Amino acid sequence: MQEPPSRDKHPDTKPHRSLFERLTALISPEPENRAELLEILHDAHGHGLIDADALSMIEGVFQVSDLSARDIMVPRAQMETIDISEPIDQWLPQVLRSGHSRFPVIDGDRDRVVGILLAKDLLRYFGDESFVVRDMLRTAVFIPESKRLNVLLRDFRANRNHIAIVADEYGGVAGLLTIEDVLEQIVGDIEDEYDFDEDEDNILPARPAEHGPRWRVKALTSIEQFNDMLGLHFSDAEVDTVGGLLVTHIGHVPHKGEVFEMEGVRFEVVRADARKVHVLLVDKLPPRPSEADPR
């Protein structure tokens, strides 16, 4: 007599799911795209399954794959550079004052980056009479403005590099990026004893937009400064900051990637967590036909 088939003879057979499990899968299917996955994660946070910091970092990982170098780079005008054509005594105080660990080195022109100088290599200057700055330079890495941050982060790790020079389409220097800048998109601001929250850094030009310049704005920027810089007229009667203005307008803390329009201004959330907004991209929209001059 033939024996009935035994489950033990088929170890690869999937375990039988209970009726409850099948009903649960039918009612709550697996996420089919990123938006559905993020919605599930936000629900998990709402039920206390993951904390705000974990949710923020997960969102940051998704955001890194959507952003490019031009979105977060330090603009050319804000770069701290060393001009190798000048005597070392002229730029050494700048190095000591800034506290940075790496400096792009130029040769008379910001578009002529000849290398990267590590601040620790300057220690040899004080004990070596034959010190030559050019011999201390590390090779500068150049990347296009369009390079995705997730690819750049992988390159940083693979090459043990910490800084890259961002080049524009004409081969000129557009800005710079560090590995810290990329990691901050995931874990939030990484502050050290040399970081300063100066007003002039609250609003920086990011890149041209469809209807004019686009600005990278810290959410803690005062509405007064925001109005002055962009020629706007938002009220600060109820809130003091741009982030507070946005949250008040939409009625909730926005997620990364959300876009809103308010009084002819477009706001895109670049960095935020479950508790507050950190950084925005802002550009002014053209007047609607009804608002335009009828003449």
Side-chain angles (χ1 to χ4, degrees), residues 74-189:
V74 176
R76 170 191 174 111
Q78 302 290 331
M79 288 171 50
E80 290 269 4
T81 61
I82 291 173
D83 190 345
I84 204 170
S85 64
E86 298 176 348
I88 188 172
D89 292 338
Q90 291 192 18
W91 48 259
L92 185 58
Q94 170 195 344
V95 172
L96 299 175
R97 183 174 61 253
S98 69
H100 296 312
S101 58
R102 292 169 175 81
F103 295 85
V105 178
I106 64 175
D107 192 355
D109 187 331
R110 280 182 177 264
D111 286 324
R112 296 183 60 189
V113 176
V114 296
I116 303 296
L117 179 65
L118 272 59
K120 66 179 183 179
D121 289 339
L122 287 174
L123 294 174
R124 303 181 185 181
Y125 168 71
F126 299 99
D128 187 353
E129 295 181 358
S130 61
F131 180 83
V132 179
V133 177
R134 290 184 184 272
D135 295 340
M136 298 292 104
L137 300 185
R138 313 295 175 96
T139 302
V141 174
F142 292 84
I143 61 171
E145 292 179 287
S146 58
K147 185 148 190 173
R148 293 290 177 182
L149 296 189
N150 57 330
V151 178
L152 177 60
L153 182 58
R154 185 167 63 244
D155 291 348
F156 275 151
R157 293 179 60 191
N159 301 324
R160 299 182 181 276
N161 184 36
H162 287 219
I163 188 171
I165 306 299
V166 183
D168 60 27
E169 59 182 312
Y170 304 105
V173 173
L176 67 81
L177 261 180
T178 67
I179 191 172
E180 179 182 289
D181 296 325
V182 181
L183 291 175
E184 282 186 342
Q185 300 302 311
I186 299 175
V187 301
D189 289 338

Side-chain angles (χ1 to χ4, degrees), residues 45-60:
H45 170 257
H47 288 86
L49 299 178
I50 58 175
D51 61 26
D53 290 333
L55 176 60
S56 177
M57 284 189 283
I58 295 171
E59 288 180 322

